[in-house]
Amino acid sequence: MFRFALFLMMFSTTVPAVVAQSAFSGMRYRVPTDANMLVMINAEKLFGSSVADRERWNERRQAAYDAGLSALPPDAKEVLLAGRNDHEFGESLWEMALVRLEGERSVSTVAQRFGGTMDNLEGRTAVKLPNDRYVVQLSKDLLGTYTPANRQDVSRWLRKTDTVSTDAEYSPYLAQAFKYATEVGTPVIMAMDVKDTLSPAEIRNRLSNYEELLGADVNLDELTELLSGVRGITLGVTVVGQSVGAIRVDFDGDAGLVSEIGKPLLIAILQKQGAMIDDIHDWKPAVKGNTFLLQGKLSTDGARRVMSVLELPRELSEAMHLASSPGSDPEGSAKKIAAQQYYNSVTTLIEDLREKPKRDHVKTFGQAAMWYDRYARKIDNLPILNVDEELLNYGANIAELFRSAEMAMKGVGMRASNRRAANNAGSGGYYYSSGGYRVGYGYNSGGYGPQGYTASVGAGQASLREKGRTDAIITKQERTAGAATVQQIWQTIDQETAGIRRAMTEKYDAEF
């Protein structure tokens, strides 16, 4: 879920609309007070807009969810996700999700469908799932999840949030983001509280890696001080007439210092994280007091990219799907349908990932690697009820191959860095001389013809040049090796896919 942390590095918007007071009812105080990340989606408003109707979002919604490309359940009305993320190491400490769905739900069917164990926590029906997650029945139409599935922690979460909290105990930045969704009416809000995340020394060190700052008329000491006081980052998406996205970064001090460099710096950050949206190139920057803003039209593809960062637990929407009882389907039609759906979901994810680097203009291995891990987890989270064991093994193999490709790409930079650090290429320098000739003529024997010259490079300078040359060779070698490894992995993926397709077609006498 929280791999979108760096993607959020700056977002929010406002819309002069008012929503019913019942929006996200019962969700606000379920968010633990130590949360530093918050996502809110008003699906009814988002998919009920004129934009959604014009772009046929609802028609594509079910297909995208079935294929694993979208984590938003087709019948979800409101979604809230929150968690605490260790920004320094990029690790999630805990995550929770709340989803209000059409009609009544029961977590007992979650246990049936996903092989969980029934439990009772704080007087509420709950189920512990094999994927280290609890699903809890909060009301007839509201389900919640919490991970990791530590029973004591989940019980404490329920017990503490049964008592109404106050905004004073809550992150002020996330409390403000909550109001964007409930009072302003913004359909999609993603917010991250980053106050006190990085020290000034760490910020200054990271700034030195951005070419966008070279030659810029900005004092790095002043910029470091400003960034040290960043309060939070929020993304908002509105759908009034057309899709509009906006990025908002809030500081403790005046944001005027980033009025010129804010946009190129943001684009560089998103590109490095593999989360760039082409639409942002056309967005307009602005500074309002202590806030840097970037706002513009969001295309259908851009909106899809925003939603793709979510990894909502599928158990929440699958709760009404009853597991088939043994012997109830003698012809095996349920097994065949489940096999076809699973196969189509995995192969759709494969093709989507294959095209992603080109479609999203990915430029580095690091940018691509994050998507391989994300797609592996999408495969892990596909429904598996009634799915053929051979197909499940195929899906697990593909997910593992994705992770192998991720490690191969991440390893390129590490291996190249280690080799460059150990590269002590040296040179003793050189001296070169060319005689030429001169011929005298006229008074005072003035000369004509080419004149001799000498050139020399000292040992120190020659060694630096040699190290630079050999470092470049090392980098190219590692990139070539990494690309070859990834290509081999894709060949294996294609071979396994072709093999499983033949096997399933023969087994079920149906097209896969």
Side-chain angles (χ1 to χ4, degrees), residues 348-371:
T348 298
L349 288 169
I350 289 173
E351 293 309 311
D352 194 63
L353 181 58
R354 192 195 304 270
E355 296 298 321
K356 183 169 284 292
K358 180 179 179 180
R359 184 177 64 242
D360 296 345
H361 307 291
V362 172
K363 296 181 179 180
T364 69
F365 280 125
Q367 294 172 14
M370 64 177 291
W371 289 107

mmCIF file with all atom_site columns, all heavy atoms in Angstrom, residues 348-371:
data_model
loop_
_atom_site.group_PDB
_atom_site.id
_atom_site.type_symbol
_atom_site.label_atom_id
_atom_site.label_alt_id
_atom_site.label_comp_id
_atom_site.label_asym_id
_atom_site.label_entity_id
_atom_site.label_seq_id
_atom_site.pdbx_PDB_ins_code
_atom_site.Cartn_x
_atom_site.Cartn_y
_atom_site.Cartn_z
_atom_site.occupancy
_atom_site.B_iso_or_equiv
_atom_site.pdbx_formal_charge
_atom_site.auth_seq_id
_atom_site.auth_comp_id
_atom_site.auth_asym_id
_atom_site.auth_atom_id
_atom_site.pdbx_PDB_model_num
ATOM 1   N N   . THR A 1 348 ? -2.689 -10.475 -18.084 1.00 0.00 ? 348 THR A N   1
ATOM 2   C CA  . THR A 1 348 ? -2.953 -9.040  -18.259 1.00 0.00 ? 348 THR A CA  1
ATOM 3   C C   . THR A 1 348 ? -1.920 -8.221  -17.501 1.00 0.00 ? 348 THR A C   1
ATOM 4   O O   . THR A 1 348 ? -1.410 -7.214  -18.007 1.00 0.00 ? 348 THR A O   1
ATOM 5   C CB  . THR A 1 348 ? -4.366 -8.681  -17.772 1.00 0.00 ? 348 THR A CB  1
ATOM 6   O OG1 . THR A 1 348 ? -5.335 -9.389  -18.555 1.00 0.00 ? 348 THR A OG1 1
ATOM 7   C CG2 . THR A 1 348 ? -4.624 -7.178  -17.919 1.00 0.00 ? 348 THR A CG2 1
ATOM 8   N N   . LEU A 1 349 ? -1.602 -8.651  -16.283 1.00 0.00 ? 349 LEU A N   1
ATOM 9   C CA  . LEU A 1 349 ? -0.579 -7.960  -15.504 1.00 0.00 ? 349 LEU A CA  1
ATOM 10  C C   . LEU A 1 349 ? 0.786  -8.065  -16.182 1.00 0.00 ? 349 LEU A C   1
ATOM 11  O O   . LEU A 1 349 ? 1.560  -7.095  -16.195 1.00 0.00 ? 349 LEU A O   1
ATOM 12  C CB  . LEU A 1 349 ? -0.504 -8.553  -14.090 1.00 0.00 ? 349 LEU A CB  1
ATOM 13  C CG  . LEU A 1 349 ? -1.693 -8.221  -13.177 1.00 0.00 ? 349 LEU A CG  1
ATOM 14  C CD1 . LEU A 1 349 ? -1.640 -9.072  -11.910 1.00 0.00 ? 349 LEU A CD1 1
ATOM 15  C CD2 . LEU A 1 349 ? -1.700 -6.746  -12.820 1.00 0.00 ? 349 LEU A CD2 1
ATOM 16  N N   . ILE A 1 350 ? 1.089  -9.211  -16.762 1.00 0.00 ? 350 ILE A N   1
ATOM 17  C CA  . ILE A 1 350 ? 2.361  -9.391  -17.466 1.00 0.00 ? 350 ILE A CA  1
ATOM 18  C C   . ILE A 1 350 ? 2.476  -8.395  -18.614 1.00 0.00 ? 350 ILE A C   1
ATOM 19  O O   . ILE A 1 350 ? 3.496  -7.710  -18.765 1.00 0.00 ? 350 ILE A O   1
ATOM 20  C CB  . ILE A 1 350 ? 2.485  -10.840 -17.999 1.00 0.00 ? 350 ILE A CB  1
ATOM 21  C CG1 . ILE A 1 350 ? 2.707  -11.814 -16.841 1.00 0.00 ? 350 ILE A CG1 1
ATOM 22  C CG2 . ILE A 1 350 ? 3.639  -10.951 -18.998 1.00 0.00 ? 350 ILE A CG2 1
ATOM 23  C CD1 . ILE A 1 350 ? 2.672  -13.287 -17.260 1.00 0.00 ? 350 ILE A CD1 1
ATOM 24  N N   . GLU A 1 351 ? 1.445  -8.306  -19.427 1.00 0.00 ? 351 GLU A N   1
ATOM 25  C CA  . GLU A 1 351 ? 1.498  -7.415  -20.594 1.00 0.00 ? 351 GLU A CA  1
ATOM 26  C C   . GLU A 1 351 ? 1.507  -5.951  -20.182 1.00 0.00 ? 351 GLU A C   1
ATOM 27  O O   . GLU A 1 351 ? 2.158  -5.126  -20.819 1.00 0.00 ? 351 GLU A O   1
ATOM 28  C CB  . GLU A 1 351 ? 0.323  -7.704  -21.535 1.00 0.00 ? 351 GLU A CB  1
ATOM 29  C CG  . GLU A 1 351 ? 0.396  -9.074  -22.192 1.00 0.00 ? 351 GLU A CG  1
ATOM 30  C CD  . GLU A 1 351 ? 1.750  -9.323  -22.844 1.00 0.00 ? 351 GLU A CD  1
ATOM 31  O OE1 . GLU A 1 351 ? 2.230  -8.447  -23.595 1.00 0.00 ? 351 GLU A OE1 1
ATOM 32  O OE2 . GLU A 1 351 ? 2.336  -10.393 -22.593 1.00 0.00 ? 351 GLU A OE2 1
ATOM 33  N N   . ASP A 1 352 ? 0.786  -5.629  -19.113 1.00 0.00 ? 352 ASP A N   1
ATOM 34  C CA  . ASP A 1 352 ? 0.776  -4.246  -18.655 1.00 0.00 ? 352 ASP A CA  1
ATOM 35  C C   . ASP A 1 352 ? 2.152  -3.833  -18.163 1.00 0.00 ? 352 ASP A C   1
ATOM 36  O O   . ASP A 1 352 ? 2.625  -2.732  -18.434 1.00 0.00 ? 352 ASP A O   1
ATOM 37  C CB  . ASP A 1 352 ? -0.251 -4.076  -17.533 1.00 0.00 ? 352 ASP A CB  1
ATOM 38  C CG  . ASP A 1 352 ? -0.551 -2.610  -17.243 1.00 0.00 ? 352 ASP A CG  1
ATOM 39  O OD1 . ASP A 1 352 ? -1.063 -1.930  -18.144 1.00 0.00 ? 352 ASP A OD1 1
ATOM 40  O OD2 . ASP A 1 352 ? -0.253 -2.157  -16.129 1.00 0.00 ? 352 ASP A OD2 1
ATOM 41  N N   . LEU A 1 353 ? 2.828  -4.738  -17.434 1.00 0.00 ? 353 LEU A N   1
ATOM 42  C CA  . LEU A 1 353 ? 4.172  -4.439  -16.942 1.00 0.00 ? 353 LEU A CA  1
ATOM 43  C C   . LEU A 1 353 ? 5.180  -4.400  -18.088 1.00 0.00 ? 353 LEU A C   1
ATOM 44  O O   . LEU A 1 353 ? 6.105  -3.583  -18.079 1.00 0.00 ? 353 LEU A O   1
ATOM 45  C CB  . LEU A 1 353 ? 4.606  -5.491  -15.919 1.00 0.00 ? 353 LEU A CB  1
ATOM 46  C CG  . LEU A 1 353 ? 5.997  -5.305  -15.299 1.00 0.00 ? 353 LEU A CG  1
ATOM 47  C CD1 . LEU A 1 353 ? 6.110  -3.953  -14.603 1.00 0.00 ? 353 LEU A CD1 1
ATOM 48  C CD2 . LEU A 1 353 ? 6.301  -6.432  -14.316 1.00 0.00 ? 353 LEU A CD2 1
ATOM 49  N N   . ARG A 1 354 ? 4.993  -5.241  -19.090 1.00 0.00 ? 354 ARG A N   1
ATOM 50  C CA  . ARG A 1 354 ? 5.908  -5.258  -20.227 1.00 0.00 ? 354 ARG A CA  1
ATOM 51  C C   . ARG A 1 354 ? 5.920  -3.911  -20.955 1.00 0.00 ? 354 ARG A C   1
ATOM 52  O O   . ARG A 1 354 ? 6.962  -3.437  -21.410 1.00 0.00 ? 354 ARG A O   1
ATOM 53  C CB  . ARG A 1 354 ? 5.498  -6.362  -21.203 1.00 0.00 ? 354 ARG A CB  1
ATOM 54  C CG  . ARG A 1 354 ? 6.544  -6.670  -22.286 1.00 0.00 ? 354 ARG A CG  1
ATOM 55  C CD  . ARG A 1 354 ? 5.939  -7.502  -23.412 1.00 0.00 ? 354 ARG A CD  1
ATOM 56  N NE  . ARG A 1 354 ? 5.341  -8.726  -22.944 1.00 0.00 ? 354 ARG A NE  1
ATOM 57  C CZ  . ARG A 1 354 ? 5.986  -9.882  -22.825 1.00 0.00 ? 354 ARG A CZ  1
ATOM 58  N NH1 . ARG A 1 354 ? 7.269  -9.951  -23.147 1.00 0.00 ? 354 ARG A NH1 1
ATOM 59  N NH2 . ARG A 1 354 ? 5.349  -10.961 -22.408 1.00 0.00 ? 354 ARG A NH2 1
ATOM 60  N N   . GLU A 1 355 ? 4.753  -3.281  -21.054 1.00 0.00 ? 355 GLU A N   1
ATOM 61  C CA  . GLU A 1 355 ? 4.634  -2.013  -21.775 1.00 0.00 ? 355 GLU A CA  1
ATOM 62  C C   . GLU A 1 355 ? 4.891  -0.791  -20.905 1.00 0.00 ? 355 GLU A C   1
ATOM 63  O O   . GLU A 1 355 ? 5.073  0.312   -21.415 1.00 0.00 ? 355 GLU A O   1
ATOM 64  C CB  . GLU A 1 355 ? 3.232  -1.900  -22.398 1.00 0.00 ? 355 GLU A CB  1
ATOM 65  C CG  . GLU A 1 355 ? 2.935  -2.943  -23.448 1.00 0.00 ? 355 GLU A CG  1
ATOM 66  C CD  . GLU A 1 355 ? 3.884  -2.840  -24.631 1.00 0.00 ? 355 GLU A CD  1
ATOM 67  O OE1 . GLU A 1 355 ? 4.210  -1.706  -25.028 1.00 0.00 ? 355 GLU A OE1 1
ATOM 68  O OE2 . GLU A 1 355 ? 4.306  -3.890  -25.151 1.00 0.00 ? 355 GLU A OE2 1
ATOM 69  N N   . LYS A 1 356 ? 4.898  -0.975  -19.583 1.00 0.00 ? 356 LYS A N   1
ATOM 70  C CA  . LYS A 1 356 ? 4.980  0.170   -18.673 1.00 0.00 ? 356 LYS A CA  1
ATOM 71  C C   . LYS A 1 356 ? 6.227  1.032   -18.861 1.00 0.00 ? 356 LYS A C   1
ATOM 72  O O   . LYS A 1 356 ? 6.132  2.265   -18.896 1.00 0.00 ? 356 LYS A O   1
ATOM 73  C CB  . LYS A 1 356 ? 4.873  -0.297  -17.218 1.00 0.00 ? 356 LYS A CB  1
ATOM 74  C CG  . LYS A 1 356 ? 4.872  0.839   -16.210 1.00 0.00 ? 356 LYS A CG  1
ATOM 75  C CD  . LYS A 1 356 ? 4.495  0.366   -14.832 1.00 0.00 ? 356 LYS A CD  1
ATOM 76  C CE  . LYS A 1 356 ? 3.012  0.129   -14.726 1.00 0.00 ? 356 LYS A CE  1
ATOM 77  N NZ  . LYS A 1 356 ? 2.224  1.377   -14.817 1.00 0.00 ? 356 LYS A NZ  1
ATOM 78  N N   . PRO A 1 357 ? 7.443  0.439   -18.986 1.00 0.00 ? 357 PRO A N   1
ATOM 79  C CA  . PRO A 1 357 ? 8.622  1.303   -19.141 1.00 0.00 ? 357 PRO A CA  1
ATOM 80  C C   . PRO A 1 357 ? 8.519  2.247   -20.334 1.00 0.00 ? 357 PRO A C   1
ATOM 81  O O   . PRO A 1 357 ? 8.891  3.420   -20.234 1.00 0.00 ? 357 PRO A O   1
ATOM 82  C CB  . PRO A 1 357 ? 9.770  0.287   -19.331 1.00 0.00 ? 357 PRO A CB  1
ATOM 83  C CG  . PRO A 1 357 ? 9.294  -0.923  -18.610 1.00 0.00 ? 357 PRO A CG  1
ATOM 84  C CD  . PRO A 1 357 ? 7.811  -0.977  -18.878 1.00 0.00 ? 357 PRO A CD  1
ATOM 85  N N   . LYS A 1 358 ? 8.005  1.745   -21.442 1.00 0.00 ? 358 LYS A N   1
ATOM 86  C CA  . LYS A 1 358 ? 7.859  2.585   -22.630 1.00 0.00 ? 358 LYS A CA  1
ATOM 87  C C   . LYS A 1 358 ? 6.727  3.583   -22.451 1.00 0.00 ? 358 LYS A C   1
ATOM 88  O O   . LYS A 1 358 ? 6.861  4.768   -22.763 1.00 0.00 ? 358 LYS A O   1
ATOM 89  C CB  . LYS A 1 358 ? 7.599  1.714   -23.861 1.00 0.00 ? 358 LYS A CB  1
ATOM 90  C CG  . LYS A 1 358 ? 7.435  2.497   -25.152 1.00 0.00 ? 358 LYS A CG  1
ATOM 91  C CD  . LYS A 1 358 ? 7.202  1.566   -26.341 1.00 0.00 ? 358 LYS A CD  1
ATOM 92  C CE  . LYS A 1 358 ? 7.008  2.359   -27.625 1.00 0.00 ? 358 LYS A CE  1
ATOM 93  N NZ  . LYS A 1 358 ? 6.770  1.446   -28.782 1.00 0.00 ? 358 LYS A NZ  1
ATOM 94  N N   . ARG A 1 359 ? 5.602  3.110   -21.922 1.00 0.00 ? 359 ARG A N   1
ATOM 95  C CA  . ARG A 1 359 ? 4.431  3.965   -21.770 1.00 0.00 ? 359 ARG A CA  1
ATOM 96  C C   . ARG A 1 359 ? 4.666  5.085   -20.774 1.00 0.00 ? 359 ARG A C   1
ATOM 97  O O   . ARG A 1 359 ? 4.212  6.218   -20.962 1.00 0.00 ? 359 ARG A O   1
ATOM 98  C CB  . ARG A 1 359 ? 3.247  3.101   -21.320 1.00 0.00 ? 359 ARG A CB  1
ATOM 99  C CG  . ARG A 1 359 ? 1.930  3.865   -21.204 1.00 0.00 ? 359 ARG A CG  1
ATOM 100 C CD  . ARG A 1 359 ? 0.791  2.937   -20.839 1.00 0.00 ? 359 ARG A CD  1
ATOM 101 N NE  . ARG A 1 359 ? 0.962  2.349   -19.532 1.00 0.00 ? 359 ARG A NE  1
ATOM 102 C CZ  . ARG A 1 359 ? 1.089  1.050   -19.306 1.00 0.00 ? 359 ARG A CZ  1
ATOM 103 N NH1 . ARG A 1 359 ? 1.073  0.200   -20.307 1.00 0.00 ? 359 ARG A NH1 1
ATOM 104 N NH2 . ARG A 1 359 ? 1.222  0.587   -18.072 1.00 0.00 ? 359 ARG A NH2 1
ATOM 105 N N   . ASP A 1 360 ? 5.403  4.784   -19.696 1.00 0.00 ? 360 ASP A N   1
ATOM 106 C CA  . ASP A 1 360 ? 5.627  5.772   -18.637 1.00 0.00 ? 360 ASP A CA  1
ATOM 107 C C   . ASP A 1 360 ? 6.976  6.469   -18.741 1.00 0.00 ? 360 ASP A C   1
ATOM 108 O O   . ASP A 1 360 ? 7.389  7.164   -17.824 1.00 0.00 ? 360 ASP A O   1
ATOM 109 C CB  . ASP A 1 360 ? 5.508  5.101   -17.270 1.00 0.00 ? 360 ASP A CB  1
ATOM 110 C CG  . ASP A 1 360 ? 4.101  4.579   -17.018 1.00 0.00 ? 360 ASP A CG  1
ATOM 111 O OD1 . ASP A 1 360 ? 3.179  4.983   -17.745 1.00 0.00 ? 360 ASP A OD1 1
ATOM 112 O OD2 . ASP A 1 360 ? 3.928  3.770   -16.095 1.00 0.00 ? 360 ASP A OD2 1
ATOM 113 N N   . HIS A 1 361 ? 7.675  6.240   -19.856 1.00 0.00 ? 361 HIS A N   1
ATOM 114 C CA  . HIS A 1 361 ? 8.963  6.911   -20.113 1.00 0.00 ? 361 HIS A CA  1
ATOM 115 C C   . HIS A 1 361 ? 9.964  6.659   -18.992 1.00 0.00 ? 361 HIS A C   1
ATOM 116 O O   . HIS A 1 361 ? 10.639 7.577   -18.520 1.00 0.00 ? 361 HIS A O   1
ATOM 117 C CB  . HIS A 1 361 ? 8.757  8.417   -20.307 1.00 0.00 ? 361 HIS A CB  1
ATOM 118 C CG  . HIS A 1 361 ? 7.736  8.755   -21.353 1.00 0.00 ? 361 HIS A CG  1
ATOM 119 N ND1 . HIS A 1 361 ? 7.957  8.530   -22.696 1.00 0.00 ? 361 HIS A ND1 1
ATOM 120 C CD2 . HIS A 1 361 ? 6.481  9.261   -21.254 1.00 0.00 ? 361 HIS A CD2 1
ATOM 121 C CE1 . HIS A 1 361 ? 6.869  8.912   -23.385 1.00 0.00 ? 361 HIS A CE1 1
ATOM 122 N NE2 . HIS A 1 361 ? 5.967  9.347   -22.534 1.00 0.00 ? 361 HIS A NE2 1
ATOM 123 N N   . VAL A 1 362 ? 10.051 5.398   -18.551 1.00 0.00 ? 362 VAL A N   1
ATOM 124 C CA  . VAL A 1 362 ? 11.008 5.028   -17.512 1.00 0.00 ? 362 VAL A CA  1
ATOM 125 C C   . VAL A 1 362 ? 12.413 5.100   -18.079 1.00 0.00 ? 362 VAL A C   1
ATOM 126 O O   . VAL A 1 362 ? 12.696 4.569   -19.149 1.00 0.00 ? 362 VAL A O   1
ATOM 127 C CB  . VAL A 1 362 ? 10.723 3.606   -16.987 1.00 0.00 ? 362 VAL A CB  1
ATOM 128 C CG1 . VAL A 1 362 ? 11.812 3.147   -16.049 1.00 0.00 ? 362 VAL A CG1 1
ATOM 129 C CG2 . VAL A 1 362 ? 9.368  3.591   -16.274 1.00 0.00 ? 362 VAL A CG2 1
ATOM 130 N N   . LYS A 1 363 ? 13.316 5.773   -17.367 1.00 0.00 ? 363 LYS A N   1
ATOM 131 C CA  . LYS A 1 363 ? 14.661 6.017   -17.884 1.00 0.00 ? 363 LYS A CA  1
ATOM 132 C C   . LYS A 1 363 ? 15.754 5.242   -17.145 1.00 0.00 ? 363 LYS A C   1
ATOM 133 O O   . LYS A 1 363 ? 16.858 5.102   -17.652 1.00 0.00 ? 363 LYS A O   1
ATOM 134 C CB  . LYS A 1 363 ? 14.967 7.519   -17.822 1.00 0.00 ? 363 LYS A CB  1
ATOM 135 C CG  . LYS A 1 363 ? 14.064 8.359   -18.713 1.00 0.00 ? 363 LYS A CG  1
ATOM 136 C CD  . LYS A 1 363 ? 14.441 9.838   -18.621 1.00 0.00 ? 363 LYS A CD  1
ATOM 137 C CE  . LYS A 1 363 ? 13.550 10.693  -19.522 1.00 0.00 ? 363 LYS A CE  1
ATOM 138 N NZ  . LYS A 1 363 ? 13.912 12.133  -19.436 1.00 0.00 ? 363 LYS A NZ  1
ATOM 139 N N   . THR A 1 364 ? 15.492 4.789   -15.936 1.00 0.00 ? 364 THR A N   1
ATOM 140 C CA  . THR A 1 364 ? 16.534 4.120   -15.159 1.00 0.00 ? 364 THR A CA  1
ATOM 141 C C   . THR A 1 364 ? 16.028 2.780   -14.646 1.00 0.00 ? 364 THR A C   1
ATOM 142 O O   . THR A 1 364 ? 14.820 2.543   -14.546 1.00 0.00 ? 364 THR A O   1
ATOM 143 C CB  . THR A 1 364 ? 16.978 4.971   -13.963 1.00 0.00 ? 364 THR A CB  1
ATOM 144 O OG1 . THR A 1 364 ? 15.911 5.033   -13.003 1.00 0.00 ? 364 THR A OG1 1
ATOM 145 C CG2 . THR A 1 364 ? 17.359 6.372   -14.402 1.00 0.00 ? 364 THR A CG2 1
ATOM 146 N N   . PHE A 1 365 ? 16.976 1.900   -14.279 1.00 0.00 ? 365 PHE A N   1
ATOM 147 C CA  . PHE A 1 365 ? 16.619 0.619   -13.705 1.00 0.00 ? 365 PHE A CA  1
ATOM 148 C C   . PHE A 1 365 ? 15.890 0.810   -12.383 1.00 0.00 ? 365 PHE A C   1
ATOM 149 O O   . PHE A 1 365 ? 14.971 0.054   -12.043 1.00 0.00 ? 365 PHE A O   1
ATOM 150 C CB  . PHE A 1 365 ? 17.876 -0.229  -13.481 1.00 0.00 ? 365 PHE A CB  1
ATOM 151 C CG  . PHE A 1 365 ? 18.381 -0.902  -14.729 1.00 0.00 ? 365 PHE A CG  1
ATOM 152 C CD1 . PHE A 1 365 ? 19.686 -0.724  -15.151 1.00 0.00 ? 365 PHE A CD1 1
ATOM 153 C CD2 . PHE A 1 365 ? 17.545 -1.706  -15.474 1.00 0.00 ? 365 PHE A CD2 1
ATOM 154 C CE1 . PHE A 1 365 ? 20.148 -1.344  -16.300 1.00 0.00 ? 365 PHE A CE1 1
ATOM 155 C CE2 . PHE A 1 365 ? 17.993 -2.339  -16.622 1.00 0.00 ? 365 PHE A CE2 1
ATOM 156 C CZ  . PHE A 1 365 ? 19.297 -2.158  -17.041 1.00 0.00 ? 365 PHE A CZ  1
ATOM 157 N N   . GLY A 1 366 ? 16.304 1.796   -11.609 1.00 0.00 ? 366 GLY A N   1
ATOM 158 C CA  . GLY A 1 366 ? 15.663 2.037   -10.326 1.00 0.00 ? 366 GLY A CA  1
ATOM 159 C C   . GLY A 1 366 ? 14.193 2.389   -10.470 1.00 0.00 ? 366 GLY A C   1
ATOM 160 O O   . GLY A 1 366 ? 13.349 1.967   -9.673  1.00 0.00 ? 366 GLY A O   1
ATOM 161 N N   . GLN A 1 367 ? 13.862 3.159   -11.503 1.00 0.00 ? 367 GLN A N   1
ATOM 162 C CA  . GLN A 1 367 ? 12.467 3.519   -11.753 1.00 0.00 ? 367 GLN A CA  1
ATOM 163 C C   . GLN A 1 367 ? 11.641 2.292   -12.101 1.00 0.00 ? 367 GLN A C   1
ATOM 164 O O   . GLN A 1 367 ? 10.511 2.130   -11.655 1.00 0.00 ? 367 GLN A O   1
ATOM 165 C CB  . GLN A 1 367 ? 12.391 4.531   -12.894 1.00 0.00 ? 367 GLN A CB  1
ATOM 166 C CG  . GLN A 1 367 ? 13.005 5.886   -12.577 1.00 0.00 ? 367 GLN A CG  1
ATOM 167 C CD  . GLN A 1 367 ? 13.076 6.776   -13.795 1.00 0.00 ? 367 GLN A CD  1
ATOM 168 O OE1 . GLN A 1 367 ? 12.457 6.500   -14.812 1.00 0.00 ? 367 GLN A OE1 1
ATOM 169 N NE2 . GLN A 1 367 ? 13.853 7.840   -13.719 1.00 0.00 ? 367 GLN A NE2 1
ATOM 170 N N   . ALA A 1 368 ? 12.212 1.408   -12.926 1.00 0.00 ? 368 ALA A N   1
ATOM 171 C CA  . ALA A 1 368 ? 11.480 0.222   -13.371 1.00 0.00 ? 368 ALA A CA  1
ATOM 172 C C   . ALA A 1 368 ? 11.325 -0.794  -12.254 1.00 0.00 ? 368 ALA A C   1
ATOM 173 O O   . ALA A 1 368 ? 10.297 -1.467  -12.142 1.00 0.00 ? 368 ALA A O   1
ATOM 174 C CB  . ALA A 1 368 ? 12.200 -0.410  -14.563 1.00 0.00 ? 368 ALA A CB  1
ATOM 175 N N   . ALA A 1 369 ? 12.339 -0.920  -11.390 1.00 0.00 ? 369 ALA A N   1
ATOM 176 C CA  . ALA A 1 369 ? 12.352 -1.966  -10.372 1.00 0.00 ? 369 ALA A CA  1
ATOM 177 C C   . ALA A 1 369 ? 11.154 -1.880  -9.434  1.00 0.00 ? 369 ALA A C   1
ATOM 178 O O   . ALA A 1 369 ? 10.568 -2.902  -9.049  1.00 0.00 ? 369 ALA A O   1
ATOM 179 C CB  . ALA A 1 369 ? 13.656 -1.889  -9.573  1.00 0.00 ? 369 ALA A CB  1
ATOM 180 N N   . MET A 1 370 ? 10.745 -0.657  -9.058  1.00 0.00 ? 370 MET A N   1
ATOM 181 C CA  . MET A 1 370 ? 9.649  -0.516  -8.110  1.00 0.00 ? 370 MET A CA  1
ATOM 182 C C   . MET A 1 370 ? 8.351  -1.101  -8.659  1.00 0.00 ? 370 MET A C   1
ATOM 183 O O   . MET A 1 370 ? 7.527  -1.635  -7.924  1.00 0.00 ? 370 MET A O   1
ATOM 184 C CB  . MET A 1 370 ? 9.447  0.949   -7.738  1.00 0.00 ? 370 MET A CB  1
ATOM 185 C CG  . MET A 1 370 ? 9.022  1.849   -8.880  1.00 0.00 ? 370 MET A CG  1
ATOM 186 S SD  . MET A 1 370 ? 8.700  3.563   -8.363  1.00 0.00 ? 370 MET A SD  1
ATOM 187 C CE  . MET A 1 370 ? 7.213  3.360   -7.404  1.00 0.00 ? 370 MET A CE  1
ATOM 188 N N   . TRP A 1 371 ? 8.168  -1.047  -10.000 1.00 0.00 ? 371 TRP A N   1
ATOM 189 C CA  . TRP A 1 371 ? 6.938  -1.567  -10.585 1.00 0.00 ? 371 TRP A CA  1
ATOM 190 C C   . TRP A 1 371 ? 6.938  -3.090  -10.614 1.00 0.00 ? 371 TRP A C   1
ATOM 191 O O   . TRP A 1 371 ? 5.887  -3.724  -10.506 1.00 0.00 ? 371 TRP A O   1
ATOM 192 C CB  . TRP A 1 371 ? 6.748  -0.999  -11.986 1.00 0.00 ? 371 TRP A CB  1
ATOM 193 C CG  . TRP A 1 371 ? 6.399  0.458   -11.940 1.00 0.00 ? 371 TRP A CG  1
ATOM 194 C CD1 . TRP A 1 371 ? 7.192  1.515   -12.272 1.00 0.00 ? 371 TRP A CD1 1
ATOM 195 C CD2 . TRP A 1 371 ? 5.160  1.028   -11.496 1.00 0.00 ? 371 TRP A CD2 1
ATOM 196 N NE1 . TRP A 1 371 ? 6.524  2.700   -12.059 1.00 0.00 ? 371 TRP A NE1 1
ATOM 197 C CE2 . TRP A 1 371 ? 5.286  2.435   -11.600 1.00 0.00 ? 371 TRP A CE2 1
ATOM 198 C CE3 . TRP A 1 371 ? 3.970  0.487   -11.031 1.00 0.00 ? 371 TRP A CE3 1
ATOM 199 C CZ2 . TRP A 1 371 ? 4.258  3.291   -11.246 1.00 0.00 ? 371 TRP A CZ2 1
ATOM 200 C CZ3 . TRP A 1 371 ? 2.937  1.352   -10.683 1.00 0.00 ? 371 TRP A CZ3 1
ATOM 201 C CH2 . TRP A 1 371 ? 3.095  2.736   -10.788 1.00 0.00 ? 371 TRP A CH2 1
#
